[in-house]
Amino acid sequence: MFAVIKTGGKQYLVKKGSIIKVEKLEVEEGKEIEIDKVVCLSGGSLSCLTSATVKAEVLGQHRGKKIIIFKKKRRKNYRRKTGHRQYMTVLRINEINH
C-alpha cells in the first residue's frame, strides 16, 4: 500500500517504512506527527480519500545541499554570487490509515 501526501507545497509518494526529506516542520526530533493531507491512496486500486492520514516519526532536522545563485548582466560588469541552504525535516513513515 502506498499514499501520495502533500506537505510544504510538494507531493511525495510514500509507503510504510520509507524515509523522506520534506520542507522544515516545527516539530522536535523523535516526535510523531500525523499528516492529514493525503491526495491519493492505493490498496490494490487507486482511490482519492479525504479521511486518510499518515503517521510519521521525525528523525532529524537538517539543511539541504547548497544551491548557488549567480546573477550576471552582460557588458555591465555586474556579477553577484550568493548561496542558499534550505532547512529540511527527515521523516520515517510508520503507518498509513484509511
Side-chain angles (χ1 to χ4, degrees):
M1 173 185 279
F2 66 88
V4 177
I5 61 171
K6 185 175 182 179
T7 178
K10 299 178 182 72
Q11 294 180 359
Y12 299 93
L13 178 70
V14 297
K15 58 184 175 183
K16 185 176 178 182
S18 63
I19 296 174
I20 59 172
K21 291 182 182 179
V22 298
E23 298 284 326
K24 184 178 182 197
L25 301 172
E26 294 293 332
V27 182
E28 294 178 15
E29 191 171 328
K31 299 281 183 174
E32 187 169 271
I33 62 169
E34 189 169 304
I35 301 169
D36 57 349
K37 293 183 181 177
V38 178
V39 178
C40 287
L41 191 67
S42 163
S45 65
L46 196 64
S47 62
C48 295
L49 298 174
T50 58
S51 63
T53 59
V54 173
K55 290 187 179 179
E57 178 187 353
V58 177
L59 297 179
Q61 302 279 358
H62 301 291
R63 292 181 78 184
K65 275 182 71 172
K66 187 168 204 173
I67 297 179
I68 304 298
I69 296 104
F70 186 73
K71 300 177 182 179
K72 180 182 178 182
K73 293 188 179 177
R74 61 184 190 161
R75 297 187 300 268
K76 302 297 181 192
N77 198 23
Y78 173 83
R79 290 182 290 269
R80 300 290 182 265
K81 181 180 175 183
T82 57
H84 175 75
R85 291 181 68 192
Q86 185 67 36
Y87 288 97
M88 309 289 273
T89 300
V90 182
L91 300 175
R92 180 192 301 131
I93 306 301
N94 291 337
E95 190 177 346
I96 298 174
N97 301 321
H98 58 283

